[in-house]
Amino acid sequence: MPPKYHGFGDRRKDTFKSMSAAGIRRSTYVRAVIPTVDQDGNHVIEPPVIRTEPSEWEDVVKANKTKKRNEVEDRARNWASILPLLLEAFKQGCGVKTPSPSALAPIEDPLLCSCPEKEFRFVRCIFKCGIRHFRIQHCKKCKDHSLPVVLMRRQLFPLTPKNPNVAIHIEQIRSMHLMHYICRTSIHAISEWAKAEYHYQLPIPASFKQRLSEALPMYARMMLNLEKGHKELSNLESGCPACKYMDGPKTVAADGNFQLTRYSRENERSKDINYQGQEEVDRHWADEGCSNFQELNKKGGSKRYLDQTGVFACTCGHGYPLVAMDMTTPGETFGYILSCLKQVVQMPHYGTNIRICYDVGCKLRTSLEKTESLACIKNVPIAVGIFHILNHSPACQLSCHPRVNAGWGLQDGEHLERMWSNLSGFISMTRSMSSLNRRLTISTALEFYAQQKIDNIGINLKRKFRRACLLRRDALKALRKVGIEEDDEEKLQNLQNVWDQQIRNTLASITNGSGRFAASNRAIENLRVAIAIFDLIDNAFRVQGNGHNRTQSLAAQRQAARDQVARKLKIYNEKICAGPVFGFEEYDNANTVLSKQSHFRFRMNITNLLTGDQPYDAFHGLQRANEELIILKDEATSVIKYADTLTKQLQDILQTPIGPYSLKEYYKRKGGLLMLARKLHHVKAWKKEQRKLLVRIADGTATSITTGAADFKENGDEEEDLLVDTDGVTDELSRVEEEVADDQTFEVDTEFVDMFPGDDNH
């Protein structure tokens, strides 16, 4: 018997390393030692195995990622297959009983099949007022009576498409839906809120956040499909109430946002899943554009880590979103706005009767002329928003400033900036989403934003009307000081002729002249832009509530902008000495030229003539105010007509008898009609409010165009409200409407009105 060497009969530990979600995981396996014998008869024991090379755990990591990806994809496909059944069950549940926010138990299911293959499952149900466990009966055989569908019919939304253990009452998930899309609250914050809200009751499952991140988008899809069905049933059309029946040209504003980016993903297969009603999600989105537009695209840097570099969108002149488009290039190219305009032109209520407001509208007309499919709008009016026009050259300002060009009224063209501000809460949420979920999230947010614009359209139009009247009053006051009355057509025409001559002279002085003269003009323009940048940062610096960090950052930027003004001023003084320009002089330091009363600021105001003391700012203010009053009358008439048409369409569909149908179809149709009745209830209240706000603007009795803003009291109080026919609104509706606060006062934007000062202090 050979001698017993050390190690015989031992059990050895082998260590392996693998990658997990928490990092590198060390695994230990115990095995018996099996010695071997070499050629000399000696027993050899192999050393312990420690596998630390990446090749040992790369396969494990790849397999785990593939498994998780497949599970997510399977759940997405299951959601897509069950979504139509959930929508039908939702209508049936509403038909059985109206959902109650105070419910603490699911409603009964009168439509459960009679199959013997029944099964019971305990489900944790989350209500607004608590959490309860319920034993839910469902059928294992019938797809229409599976557990998720039965839960939905009992007014509980399942968190998984198969065998859910948790469900949320439809009133509670509706609240979460509103928190996510109106308050811009993330799924993580909602799940943390739920844990804190129900901490004294049954605990929230650990997987709640993951399941809610999949279920909440499905609820959003279901609501979009429900709204689509209502539109098809009652023949409703989406659109802006103020634009739909408007006779005059409609404003279309366009802009891009490079904050709404999305990181690229490898092997993203979820985008191939077909969801019912995807066309409703894509309703706001334009195609990627045709090859004709690609020739106009500019070259830029590479952003390979991004699938989408931003979003480009168009809205109407009231902020209602018309069309959006994913951007995939580093820069904002003309291909995006041309693709969006092509879709706007195809809309029945817009067509070619539009005017365009774009940040670089001064260069857009050339692109329109080169695009054959948009030749129909190559001659439409084009302007630049008032926030961006100051960074354009004087020639662009004269031709594209909405305040000095006829037909624009008091449009500022910055509707997209307000919409991007509303969507800023979704920037971090959508960066890591799949392409489908990102589009769904932005589309749902746009739907809520559009509804807010519709709900507040009357208040906004009345506020614009008041501003136009105040501006008109101040303009007439300034003109009367120099002996010009509103009905003095000869003097007003002389002002217009002198203004037109100034434009021609200004354009000629920019394009012609010697080399020294051209260099002086460039120095003047560079100094003007530097001062405009300083003013922008200085205004942001003076805003209250910036906080310490932002104030420090803005202070540094403000100092850098001041230094830039000093450098441009030095060049300006050199060029002015070499090639003098009439009306411009040298300045000692930056403080002198930055003064609000500096002569340079006065000369760079395009509404001031180089000679003369006529109030051209008041002249343009009067023109724009009169145009705005005419536009507002047209818009108010459109809103009232839209409200009447919408009410009639809903009333007609609700007068249709429900039966006779099968019990299943009866509850489905009853639930759909009950939701339409609720919509009609809201529309009637909205209609009454719009008529109260806009009826006098529409019929021209709110103020007299020949007498100014005399109908408005100096303290801002409104006149006595009109009595409006409510078309048979119920007492309950009247009670709800009485709770709506009347718009008694309107805050006047003094900075906006002061753009055309009434006093002649220049």
Side-chain angles (χ1 to χ4, degrees):
M1 181 176 180
K4 184 176 181 180
Y5 291 95
H6 177 73
F8 283 6
D10 288 352
R11 300 184 68 83
R12 175 155 293 164
K13 296 180 179 180
D14 291 339
T15 303
F16 300 86
K17 288 186 177 180
S18 60
M19 181 65 72
S20 65
I24 298 179
R25 182 175 60 186
R26 185 185 300 271
S27 303
T28 303
Y29 299 91
V30 180
R31 64 180 180 87
V33 176
I34 304 177
T36 59
V37 181
D38 59 11
Q39 294 179 354
D40 299 331
N42 298 324
H43 292 270
V44 179
I45 300 176
E46 297 179 358
V49 179
I50 302 178
R51 302 177 181 176
T52 59
E53 296 298 325
S55 58
E56 298 294 337
W57 47 263
E58 280 179 354
D59 294 339
V60 178
V61 175
K62 186 176 181 180
N64 288 339
K65 288 185 177 180
T66 303
K67 180 181 178 181
K68 291 182 179 180
R69 189 182 297 117
N70 291 338
E71 290 175 353
V72 172
E73 183 183 352
D74 290 342
R75 284 198 299 269
R77 295 189 184 280
N78 291 334
W79 275 117
S81 63
I82 203 175
L83 197 59
L85 299 177
L86 292 180
L87 177 58
E88 183 177 351
F90 175 77
K91 294 179 181 179
Q92 293 169 350
C94 293
V96 173
K97 185 178 180 181
T98 303
S100 173
S102 60
L104 276 173
I107 65 173
E108 296 298 326
D109 185 6
L111 302 177
L112 192 61
C113 66
S114 58
C115 299
E117 293 85 356
K118 293 292 191 302
E119 192 176 63
F120 289 89
R121 187 180 183 90
F122 279 99
V123 178
R124 185 175 301 183
C125 304
I126 303 176
F127 299 90
K128 272 185 171 292
C129 303
I131 302 179
R132 299 288 187 274
H133 267 117
F134 288 98
R135 192 165 173 256
I136 307 297
Q137 185 184 24
H138 63 284
C139 182
K140 298 187 297 182
K141 181 180 178 181
C142 301
K143 190 175 181 180
D144 291 347
H145 303 280
S146 60
L147 180 58
V149 178
V150 171
L151 286 171
M152 188 74 261
R153 204 154 45 225
R154 301 185 69 172
Q155 299 182 353
L156 296 168
F157 192 87
L159 290 190
T160 54
K162 282 191 174 182
N163 301 325
N165 295 321
V166 182
I168 305 178
H169 191 260
I170 57 175
E171 288 294 326
Q172 179 67 323
I173 199 170
R174 177 178 175 272
S175 298
M176 294 179 176
H177 177 71
L178 298 178
M179 289 170 60
H180 185 53
Y181 290 105
I182 294 182
C183 303
R184 278 86 71 186
T185 308
S186 65
I187 301 293
H188 172 76
I190 294 176
S191 63
E192 292 299 320
W193 166 82
K195 291 178 182 178
E197 178 73 12
Y198 301 108
H199 72 282
Y200 58 90
Q201 301 182 24
L202 293 176
I204 295 290
S207 60
F208 180 75
K209 174 185 172 182
Q210 176 65 28
R211 298 295 171 257
L212 185 64
S213 66
E214 298 175 0
L216 205 56
M218 295 303 111
Y219 178 82
R221 286 186 182 276
M222 190 177 75
M223 291 296 102
L224 288 176
N225 291 344
L226 179 66
E227 187 64 25
K228 177 188 175 185
H230 288 168
K231 292 176 183 177
E232 294 176 350
L233 185 64
S234 53
N235 197 24
L236 300 177
E237 294 182 3
S238 301
C240 175
C243 291
K244 189 169 184 179
Y245 300 104
M246 187 178 173
D247 296 328
K250 305 169 181 66
T251 302
V252 176
D255 191 20
N257 185 333
F258 286 98
Q259 298 295 319
L260 290 168
T261 58
R262 189 181 77 88
Y263 295 133
S264 58
R265 285 186 172 190
E266 295 181 1
N267 301 324
E268 185 184 349
R269 293 173 290 180
S270 60
K271 61 183 179 181
D272 299 327
I273 299 176
N274 236 349
Y275 288 99
Q276 184 192 39
Q278 182 64 31
E279 62 275 6
E280 186 66 16
V281 177
D282 297 336
R283 182 172 63 87
H284 288 292
W285 297 83
D287 298 331
E288 295 300 326
C290 64
S291 58
N292 294 336
F293 298 156
Q294 303 305 320
E295 300 174 359
L296 301 169
N297 290 345
K298 299 177 291 185
K299 303 297 181 182
S302 175
K303 292 188 178 181
R304 296 179 181 176
Y305 62 95
L306 296 176
D307 270 351
Q308 281 91 32
T309 58
V311 174
F312 193 92
C314 289
T315 68
C316 72
H318 313 96
Y320 187 93
L322 299 177
V323 59
M325 185 178 183
D326 283 325
M327 292 193 292
T328 56
T329 57
E332 185 177 317
T333 66
F334 280 109
Y336 298 127
I337 185 173
L338 296 177
S339 298
C340 291
L341 287 176
K342 183 178 180 181
Q343 185 158 328
V344 171
V345 169
Q346 295 172 356
M347 295 180 180
H349 304 302
Y350 292 90
T352 59
N353 187 26
I354 62 174
R355 52 191 175 196
I356 304 169
C357 201
Y358 185 43
D359 296 347
V360 286
C362 52
K363 297 183 179 180
L364 179 61
R365 197 175 301 280
T366 303
S367 299
L368 291 175
E369 293 173 351
K370 294 180 180 179
T371 308
E372 183 178 354
S373 58
L374 295 176
C376 55
I377 60 172
K378 65 180 181 180
N379 294 322
V380 299
I382 299 177
V384 179
I386 59 174
F387 296 158
H388 295 82
I389 190 65
L390 296 179
N391 285 331
H392 286 249
S393 65
C396 291
Q397 293 190 43
L398 290 172
S399 59
C400 297
H401 201 306
R403 291 293 186 267
V404 296
N405 286 277
W408 287 95
L410 297 180
Q411 283 283 347
D412 58 15
E414 301 296 344
H415 310 287
L416 271 301
E417 303 299 335
R418 302 180 182 95
M419 190 178 80
W420 299 141
S421 176
N422 184 271
L423 296 180
S424 61
F426 297 98
I427 293 174
S428 59
M429 294 186 206
T430 56
R431 280 179 179 167
S432 300
M433 286 184 177
S434 65
S435 57
L436 285 179
N437 276 351
R438 173 180 177 272
R439 176 164 290 194
L440 172 66
T441 300
I442 297 178
S443 296
T444 309
L446 289 177
E447 289 287 347
F448 277 109
Y449 182 75
Q451 189 59 47
Q452 291 174 4
K453 289 298 179 182
I454 293 176
D455 292 341
N456 299 325
I457 188 69
I459 295 175
N460 291 332
L461 292 183
K462 191 168 185 179
R463 183 178 293 115
K464 289 181 179 180
F465 182 82
R466 181 175 179 80
R467 288 175 178 175
C469 290
L470 291 174
L471 176 60
R472 187 176 185 279
R473 181 191 62 188
D474 293 342
L476 287 174
K477 182 179 178 181
L479 289 173
R480 291 191 183 106
K481 284 184 178 180
V482 295
I484 301 177
E485 295 293 336
E486 184 181 8
D487 55 355
D488 194 342
E489 297 182 0
E490 182 179 356
K491 292 184 178 180
L492 291 175
Q493 185 60 43
N494 290 336
L495 287 177
Q496 183 65 49
N497 294 337
V498 176
W499 173 256
D500 294 339
Q501 184 62 39
Q502 180 203 3
I503 293 179
R504 290 190 291 269
N505 295 340
T506 303
L507 294 177
S509 66
I510 295 173
T511 56
N512 301 325
S514 63
R516 291 182 178 180
F517 187 77
S520 299
N521 280 328
R522 286 195 298 270
I524 293 172
E525 176 62 15
N526 291 336
L527 179 59
R528 183 192 66 81
V529 172
I531 294 175
I533 294 174
F534 174 82
D535 290 343
L536 183 65
I537 299 175
D538 185 60
N539 290 335
F541 175 76
R542 297 177 185 275
V543 173
Q544 296 292 331
N546 279 330
H548 176 74
N549 292 338
R550 179 168 173 79
T551 301
Q552 294 286 16
S553 175
L554 287 172
Q557 296 178 35
R558 184 170 176 266
Q559 184 60 43
R562 180 184 287 273
D563 295 341
Q564 179 72 0
V565 171
R567 288 191 292 269
K568 297 299 181 183
L569 178 60
K570 182 179 179 181
I571 300 174
Y572 163 85
N573 288 333
E574 295 174 355
K575 300 300 181 182
I576 289 296
C577 290
V581 177
F582 177 73
F584 292 91
E585 57 191 15
E586 296 183 49
Y587 296 92
D588 297 333
N589 51 54
N591 291 332
T592 306
V593 74
L594 286 175
S595 172
K596 296 299 182 183
Q597 304 299 327
S598 70
H599 192 259
F600 184 85
R601 287 183 181 273
F602 174 75
R603 287 304 181 193
M604 294 312 296
N605 184 354
I606 62 174
T607 61
N608 294 322
L609 286 174
L610 298 180
T611 58
D613 57 353
Q614 298 297 332
Y616 282 91
D617 49 359
F619 170 68
H620 288 292
L622 177 62
Q623 288 184 323
R624 301 295 85 77
N626 288 338
E627 292 169 358
E628 183 73 3
L629 292 174
I630 296 173
I631 293 172
L632 288 172
K633 181 178 179 181
D634 197 2
E635 293 171 345
T637 304
S638 176
V639 171
I640 294 175
K641 185 176 180 181
Y642 176 90
D644 294 337
T645 304
L646 182 59
T647 303
K648 185 177 184 304
Q649 288 175 329
L650 290 174
Q651 287 176 339
D652 291 343
I653 194 64
L654 287 175
Q655 291 175 358
T656 305
I658 297 180
Y661 299 106
S662 64
L663 188 62
K664 180 179 177 181
E665 188 69 17
Y666 169 79
Y667 281 125
K668 176 183 174 182
R669 289 183 174 269
K670 181 182 176 183
L673 291 178
L674 285 175
M675 284 181 280
L676 282 176
R678 182 182 297 181
K679 185 178 181 68
L680 177 62
H681 186 92
H682 170 75
V683 168
K684 284 185 175 180
W686 177 78
K687 171 186 173 182
K688 180 180 179 181
E689 183 182 7
Q690 305 314 305
R691 289 184 64 87
K692 183 174 66 175
L693 292 170
L694 302 177
V695 66
R696 293 187 176 184
I697 300 176
D699 59 22
T701 60
T703 186
S704 174
I705 295 181
T706 60
T707 59
D711 288 344
F712 289 102
K713 300 180 181 179
E714 291 295 327
N715 59 2
D717 293 336
E718 301 293 336
E719 296 183 16
E720 184 179 356
D721 292 333
L722 289 176
L723 295 178
V724 182
D725 182 17
T726 58
D727 295 335
V729 182
T730 61
D731 295 338
E732 175 65 15
L733 179 59
S734 300
R735 184 187 65 79
V736 173
E737 290 171 343
E738 289 173 359
E739 295 176 359
V740 179
D742 291 334
D743 187 38
Q744 296 294 337
T745 59
F746 293 90
E747 295 183 2
V748 180
D749 189 348
T750 56
E751 183 178 353
F752 178 85
V753 175
D754 289 341
M755 291 187 66
F756 300 106
D759 53 344
D760 185 21
N761 54 8
H762 291 303

